[in-house]
Amino acid sequence: MDNEGAPPGAKGSNWTADQAEIVVANYFLMLEQDRAGERVSKADLYRRLATEVGRSEKSIEWKLRNVSAVLDELGIAWIPGLLPAHNYQDALVEAVEAQLALHPEVLSDPASIQPRFTSAGGPVLVQPPAFLNSDLQEHHPALRRLVRKYDPAARDELNRSLGRAGEEMVFRFEFDRLCRAGRRDLAKEMDWPADRGEDHRGYDVRSFESDGEERLLEIKTTNGHARTQFWLSRTQYEVAAQNPSTYRVRRVFHFQNGAEMFDIKPPLDAGLRLIPDKYVAVPR
């Protein structure tokens, strides 16, 4: 029988609920240490937990990576070095839910938030994923319920510090890109109206291509993965439709776990599955 929470192909008995709860609880303690800027020794933790729960260090590491995978689905920055591993069962999700109730502070980011990059080169502009809606939740009923409960799209939208940090990162990225292209003149013409509270425009940053073509960038930032859902306002949708050649939704993902980003071009419903979420209701 495959060992749930172990690398594919590993053999052995399934984890008990008690064993999973111990590992998940230690993950959250380590996450608190990491957020506080304290040194975290993963190797020491692997050795201690291997003795405590009677599993190999490799299996412990994989189980911790399973926790990272659940946090990734919830739009929560996971512990660097513990890359998400998605081979887990609903029992692990339930253990994570119990820890979230004990540590609700992990659902929000500190007021002063900074991106973490995988290289000294800073954020990376990549191609959008083939499908912008994850089907992982379809195979994990407990995960689907947990995502609905903690709604990463709503939390990202309300997290002003995260949103502003993403805008600032993109503004600097665009400024540097234009300067490297020998267009400092265009870089100086860039604008960040959202930083002045001008959210009514339907975009956050005005930038340019190196040939001078204008770009209107609406920045959507998450600590989750590339397919994490996000909110799009009616104004943003309409401005995109009115400016199909210049408008881009700049999706920033894994903000604190190796920040990357991609662009979505109008028509937005060609690259996004748009789901009505709220309606304006007027009494008859």
Side-chain angles (χ1 to χ4, degrees):
M1 179 184 296
D2 281 347
N3 180 11
E4 181 257 321
K11 299 295 182 180
S13 61
N14 280 343
W15 284 66
T16 68
D18 287 344
Q19 289 174 324
E21 289 170 3
I22 290 171
V23 173
V24 173
N26 276 271
Y27 186 106
F28 273 74
L29 291 175
M30 186 164 51
L31 184 61
E32 285 188 341
Q33 290 178 307
D34 178 71
R35 287 196 171 190
E38 300 176 17
R39 179 181 176 276
V40 175
S41 174
K42 299 183 187 68
D44 289 346
L45 180 65
Y46 300 160
R47 286 192 292 270
R48 178 172 62 79
L49 287 178
T51 301
E52 186 173 351
V53 303
R55 296 281 174 172
S56 70
E57 293 181 24
K58 196 67 177 176
S59 184
I60 295 294
E61 179 186 11
W62 193 267
K63 178 66 74 174
L64 291 167
R65 290 179 59 193
N66 291 155
V67 180
S68 291
V70 177
L71 297 186
D72 196 31
E73 290 292 321
L74 292 171
I76 300 172
W78 29 270
I79 297 173
L82 289 175
L83 296 176
H86 296 283
N87 181 35
Y88 57 83
Q89 295 178 347
D90 283 349
L92 181 83
V93 180
E94 293 166 1
V96 171
E97 182 175 11
Q99 287 299 315
L100 285 172
L102 295 173
H103 303 276
E105 67 279 359
V106 306
L107 290 163
S108 60
D109 295 293
S112 177
I113 187 171
Q114 295 295 327
R116 280 176 169 165
F117 304 130
T118 54
S119 69
V124 179
L125 188 61
V126 299
Q127 292 297 313
F131 300 99
L132 294 183
N133 296 281
S134 172
D135 61 356
L136 179 64
Q137 296 173 35
E138 297 178 8
H139 305 293
H140 289 279
L143 176 61
R144 185 167 61 249
R145 178 182 55 78
L146 195 60
V147 169
R148 285 199 304 267
K149 180 177 180 179
Y150 290 112
D151 195 348
R155 294 197 338 270
D156 286 343
E157 185 70 16
L158 295 172
N159 191 337
R160 300 302 183 189
S161 62
L162 176 63
R164 189 188 187 285
E167 292 169 12
E168 182 178 7
M169 187 195 79
V170 170
F171 187 90
R172 292 181 176 180
F173 175 87
E174 290 292 304
F175 189 93
D176 292 343
R177 177 181 62 79
L178 289 169
C179 288
R180 289 195 302 270
R183 297 307 307 266
R184 179 171 286 273
D185 57 326
L186 292 176
K188 291 180 178 179
E189 292 295 320
M190 287 179 58
D191 190 25
W192 183 6
D195 191 44
R196 301 190 298 272
E198 298 179 12
D199 297 326
H200 63 281
R201 297 197 182 194
Y203 65 91
D204 297 313
V205 171
R206 176 174 177 259
S207 184
F208 302 89
E209 292 299 320
S210 58
D211 61 3
E213 184 179 8
E214 184 181 54
R215 283 287 176 265
L216 305 178
L217 303 176
E218 173 60 32
I219 317 303
K220 299 292 184 179
T221 306
T222 186
N223 278 316
H225 54 75
R227 294 181 174 87
T228 304
Q229 296 178 357
F230 60 90
W231 282 2
L232 192 70
S233 73
R234 182 185 184 91
T235 297
Q236 291 159 3
Y237 181 82
E238 290 177 348
V239 173
Q242 294 163 5
N243 301 273
S245 64
T246 60
Y247 195 93
R248 301 289 185 270
V249 173
R250 175 68 57 87
R251 182 52 162 162
V252 179
F253 63 100
H254 285 162
F255 185 74
Q256 290 188 292
N257 288 110
E260 295 184 321
M261 51 194 178
F262 57 86
D263 285 346
I264 304 168
K265 303 177 182 179
L268 297 182
D269 50 6
L272 296 168
R273 184 161 64 93
L274 300 174
I275 305 170
D277 182 70
K278 291 181 175 64
Y279 296 88
V280 176
V282 180
R284 292 182 181 275

